[in-house]
Amino acid sequence: MNFNGLEFSDYLNVFQKFSWGEWIIFSLVVNLFLYLFSIGLYQFVDKTCRKDKLQKKDHPVTKSDFLLSLLTVICNSFIMLLGVLLWKSEWITLDNNTPAGIIFLEVVALIFLMDFCMYLFHYAAHAPSIYKMLHGKHHEHISTNFLSLFVLHPFETIGFGLMMIVLLMCYNFSLTAIVIYLTINLIWGTIGHLNREFFPAKFDRMGIGTTRFHNLHHLDESKNFGFYTSIWDRFFGTYRN
């Protein structure tokens, strides 16, 4: 196998031979692993970070939240399978041989494009007619816990995934860039739902979507809709510091 850290063509050739049964198992295993990784990362940072809690108590872990978080894993698996279907149908093309510089630019582009899309989607989810049906469950977590990232309505989870799929249909991103972006996305989402500030205070001034930035959104639902950055909140006047 010719693997230089940038080419995944051999892996793609293996994936092309997967049956749909194998894809279903693979997608469930991958998303379950990511779910457990997020929980483990949350617990590790929470126990090792010496900073004070942002709120006095973590949100209690409930059976209903646990079951909903597992449903989120299933929804994420569905989105992965939809992406595979579109890839097999050549609606999505993955670039196999991309220079490192282009991969870096693609990752940056995915972060900023998805940040903008998620801002719009998140803002729309707070419309009164939609909030109660879709997003309200997530905001029962005024404080947070290790499941908060995954406590989402299924339509909300699928909506976030579809935004990613649309971007992949519009441009031939490299598989490497996609994997890097999705890794950043998971880590950022986990850290963003901590009950301790993970980032240095100056990051707020740099327009980065810190833990405190998102925690303030859980306290004031009319502000801070961004995910990776506070750029769009500052631009549209929904920023709170």
Side-chain angles (χ1 to χ4, degrees):
M1 179 178 292
N2 180 22
F3 176 73
N4 61 11
L6 301 178
E7 296 184 43
F8 282 81
S9 57
D10 291 312
Y11 288 111
L12 290 176
N13 290 334
V14 172
F15 290 150
Q16 284 176 336
K17 298 176 182 178
F18 273 19
S19 67
W20 276 111
E22 290 171 326
W23 269 117
I24 291 171
I25 294 171
F26 180 75
S27 64
L28 287 171
V29 169
V30 167
N31 281 284
L32 183 60
F33 169 79
L34 295 175
Y35 171 76
L36 295 174
F37 173 82
S38 174
I39 292 174
L41 177 62
Y42 185 106
Q43 298 281 32
F44 174 77
V45 175
D46 187 57
K47 292 183 184 303
T48 58
C49 182
R50 297 183 179 275
K51 294 184 179 180
D52 293 335
K53 286 183 176 290
L54 293 168
Q55 299 188 44
K56 290 183 179 180
K57 294 183 179 180
D58 293 347
H59 187 82
V61 177
T62 65
K63 181 179 179 180
S64 63
D65 284 349
F66 173 68
L67 294 175
L68 184 56
S69 70
L70 292 180
L71 183 56
T72 297
V73 173
I74 294 173
C75 290
N76 284 333
S77 299
F78 168 77
I79 288 296
M80 183 176 180
L81 291 172
L82 178 60
V84 170
L85 175 63
L86 293 171
W87 171 58
K88 285 179 171 288
S89 303
E90 298 184 350
W91 284 89
I92 291 176
T93 301
L94 301 177
D95 196 342
N96 297 329
N97 189 14
T98 307
I102 300 300
I103 290 174
F104 173 78
L105 291 176
E106 287 182 350
V107 172
V108 172
L110 281 170
I111 289 172
F112 279 97
L113 288 171
M114 284 299 294
D115 194 47
F116 178 65
C117 291
M118 286 192 285
Y119 174 89
L120 296 178
F121 186 87
H122 193 184
Y123 185 85
H126 278 264
S129 58
I130 300 175
Y131 178 84
K132 186 175 181 180
M133 180 179 66
L134 290 185
H135 198 50
K137 180 64 177 176
H138 183 71
H139 273 281
E140 289 179 4
H141 290 221
I142 298 174
S143 183
T144 54
N145 61 39
F146 58 83
L147 292 179
S148 296
L149 175 62
F150 298 93
V151 178
L152 298 169
H153 190 284
F155 288 169
E156 198 171 8
T157 304
I158 291 171
F160 281 122
L162 289 177
M163 288 188 294
M164 178 75 178
I165 284 179
V166 169
L167 288 180
L168 297 184
M169 292 174 66
C170 293
Y171 176 83
N172 298 342
F173 288 94
S174 67
L175 180 59
T176 310
I178 295 169
V179 170
I180 293 172
Y181 164 74
L182 291 175
T183 302
I184 293 172
N185 177 69
L186 179 68
I187 294 173
W188 208 273
T190 302
I191 292 173
H193 286 87
L194 287 168
N195 194 20
R196 301 177 190 273
E197 178 54 89
F198 178 81
F199 298 98
K202 64 181 180 181
F203 276 32
D204 277 316
R205 299 189 295 273
M206 295 168 61
I208 294 173
T210 63
T211 308
R212 178 177 172 275
F213 168 79
H214 190 70
N215 189 268
L216 286 172
H217 172 70
H218 279 254
L219 292 170
D220 182 354
E221 299 175 12
S222 66
K223 303 294 182 182
N224 296 5
F225 297 98
F227 193 66
Y228 310 114
T229 78
S230 61
I231 292 173
W232 308 114
D233 287 285
R234 293 172 189 269
F235 183 80
F236 291 110
T238 56
Y239 177 69
R240 175 184 169 185
N241 188 5

